[in-house]
Amino acid sequence: ENALIRKRIADNKRRMAAELKAKQAKAAKAALRKWNALSDEGESGYLSKKQVRASGVRFTKDGAMAVPMRDVRGKMHGLQFILDRSNPAHQEKIKRMDGDKRFWPTGLAMQGHFHTIGKIDARGVNIITEGYATGDTLNDASGLAVAVCYSANNVLPVLQALAKYYPKAKWLIAADDDYLCRCQYCKKQTLVADSDCAHCGKKHGKFNTGVSVAMKAAMSVDAGEWFKPEFVGRSGKKLSDFNDLMVLEGLQVVADQVKQAVTDKFPHLGSAAEPHASAGAMTRGAGNRHKLPTFITVDDAVERFVQIFDVKDTVFDRYLSCLLPKSSMLDIMPDHGWREMKTHEGRKLVLMD
């Protein structure tokens, strides 16, 4: 009788696993169809508010931004839509959803899946963080590749998936510093570090989720480390991540903190581990023009490189004033960047004189 019960339990588990797998596969196909129907070009009040770029994202006709959710091999599994709080067309949806972000479609598999900003360095340092705006800020400040996990609960699964696929890479988790919490009794904001609520005096019962998750994840792999933003004066305001730091104190402050963290956490790597200026910073100032960035957006690539029509797989670098193999350009562009570049309105083709 016990054997029969065990068999039924095992059969039910297999059936449920098969149903979940089928549901996730259906969601993945729907997400890919939706993604292919979206536009590479668009505007979002979210990007303006956060002061970040559109890095590997797409847009709906009414101005929502879609962030892809992929696995280590680049397969699409779902989308995160980020709505614009300043857009009247989105306000009812935001109210209904109780927030400006939603995952689509229902049934998607999020665990261990992410969005990459920049190209993962298989032997160097890469960053893992929760949100899109934080990820783009960190990439812009450092030039290092960033994996966006979407939520604190997904940091550990993403790190483990990446560490397994890139066994020689190093991983620096950029934690959200959730130093404020809402007391479980009086519902007022108080400091997490103080176990007693500053308002009602009772145990608030909360912890610093972002830091706790980062610490746990970093300890799960040999090449994992973590750090958090250091603010000069947030004065009790709910500012917790590196995007908040950039908006408050500037991109250079973020760049300095990333550089310091990399130096402190991975001292054995020496100068090879040092972050590089972003492509955007490179084009704004002449001082770094002779350094190749670790990542370049499609727009920056169109501005910088000219394709030689009659010489196979060759481009002209306008900043270095020399010919380069096309592969050198592709190495610092996002995945599928060449496909997007070929249809870019600013793309240039010339004949070799």
Side-chain angles (χ1 to χ4, degrees):
E1 187 177 342
N2 288 338
L4 182 60
I5 292 173
R6 286 196 296 270
K7 183 178 183 302
R8 284 179 178 175
I9 292 173
D11 289 344
N12 283 337
K13 284 183 177 179
R14 280 193 292 270
R15 177 180 54 78
M16 291 172 66
E19 289 175 355
L20 178 61
K21 187 175 181 180
K23 189 175 183 180
Q24 291 174 342
K26 183 178 178 181
K29 290 179 180 178
L32 183 59
R33 286 195 300 271
K34 174 72 77 174
W35 176 255
N36 289 336
L38 297 174
S39 173
D40 293 328
E41 297 181 358
E43 295 182 0
S44 167
Y46 174 84
L47 295 176
S48 301
K49 178 185 176 182
K50 296 290 187 177
Q51 300 178 30
V52 294
R53 308 161 300 178
S55 298
V57 299
R58 291 187 178 180
F59 300 89
T60 65
K61 292 179 180 179
D62 69 349
M65 186 176 82
V67 186
M69 190 180 295
R70 302 181 188 274
D71 60 27
V72 290
R73 292 178 175 81
K75 180 183 176 182
M76 178 80 72
H77 288 271
L79 301 171
Q80 181 190 50
F81 283 99
I82 302 179
L83 305 185
D84 177 3
R85 290 183 180 273
S86 65
N87 187 336
H90 294 177
Q91 289 169 2
E92 182 59 34
K93 290 181 183 178
I94 291 172
K95 184 177 179 181
R96 218 170 41 240
M97 293 170 5
D98 193 26
D100 59 359
K101 300 180 181 71
R102 70 182 178 104
F103 296 110
W104 189 93
T106 301
L108 64 83
M110 185 172 76
Q111 185 171 310
H113 302 146
F114 53 91
H115 172 54
T116 308
I117 302 175
K119 190 175 183 67
I120 297 293
D121 188 338
R123 293 178 177 271
V125 178
N126 306 276
I127 297 175
I128 293 176
T129 198
E130 291 183 35
Y132 173 83
T134 304
D136 187 74
T137 297
L138 288 162
N139 173 263
D140 195 18
S142 69
L144 299 177
V146 180
V148 175
C149 303
Y150 311 103
S151 75
N153 292 335
N154 201 30
V155 171
L156 176 59
V158 167
L159 172 61
Q160 291 178 333
L162 286 168
K164 183 178 180 180
Y165 196 76
Y166 298 99
K168 295 184 179 180
K170 310 299 179 187
W171 307 101
L172 182 61
I173 303 170
D176 284 9
D177 183 15
D178 301 316
Y179 80 110
L180 293 177
C181 69
R182 201 166 289 281
C183 175
Q184 63 178 328
Y185 294 104
C186 69
K187 308 302 180 185
K188 292 182 179 179
Q189 256 187 188
T190 189
L191 292 173
V192 150
D194 299 333
S195 58
D196 295 335
C197 175
H199 305 283
C200 68
K202 296 180 180 180
K203 301 291 183 185
H204 58 65
K206 303 295 178 67
F207 61 95
N208 191 323
T209 303
V211 168
S212 298
V213 163
M215 290 177 65
K216 180 181 178 181
M219 288 189 292
S220 74
V221 299
D222 292 336
E225 297 285 351
W226 73 277
F227 75 129
K228 64 182 178 67
E230 301 294 338
F231 293 82
V232 171
R234 50 186 168 184
S235 305
K237 296 177 182 176
K238 199 166 184 179
L239 304 172
S240 61
D241 59 41
F242 282 97
N243 178 257
D244 294 330
L245 180 65
M246 182 270 288
V247 173
L248 185 67
E249 301 181 30
L251 189 65
Q252 188 58 50
V253 172
V254 177
D256 292 343
Q257 291 191 18
V258 175
K259 183 176 181 180
Q260 190 62 52
V262 171
T263 301
D264 292 345
K265 306 293 185 179
F266 304 101
H268 58 289
L269 294 181
S271 60
E274 291 185 5
H276 301 282
S278 70
M282 221 174 100
T283 58
R284 286 192 291 271
N288 289 327
R289 278 194 174 180
H290 294 291
K291 292 182 180 179
L292 280 173
T294 57
F295 172 73
I296 191 169
T297 66
V298 174
D299 287 341
D300 287 331
V302 168
E303 179 182 347
R304 177 167 182 161
F305 296 104
V306 178
Q307 185 182 357
I308 309 301
F309 182 74
D310 53 340
V311 180
K312 186 178 180 181
D313 295 333
T314 302
V315 296
F316 178 74
D317 187 328
R318 297 171 65 199
Y319 294 165
L320 298 182
S321 298
C322 66
L323 295 174
L324 292 174
K326 186 176 77 175
S327 59
S328 297
M329 176 186 71
L330 297 181
D331 281 344
I332 58 174
M333 288 177 66
D335 292 341
H336 313 298
W338 177 240
R339 177 176 62 81
E340 296 177 22
M341 188 174 179
K342 286 194 293 185
T343 58
H344 197 289
E345 62 181 3
R347 179 189 177 207
K348 304 174 187 68
L349 291 170
V350 299
L351 291 170
M352 179 73 97
D353 290 331

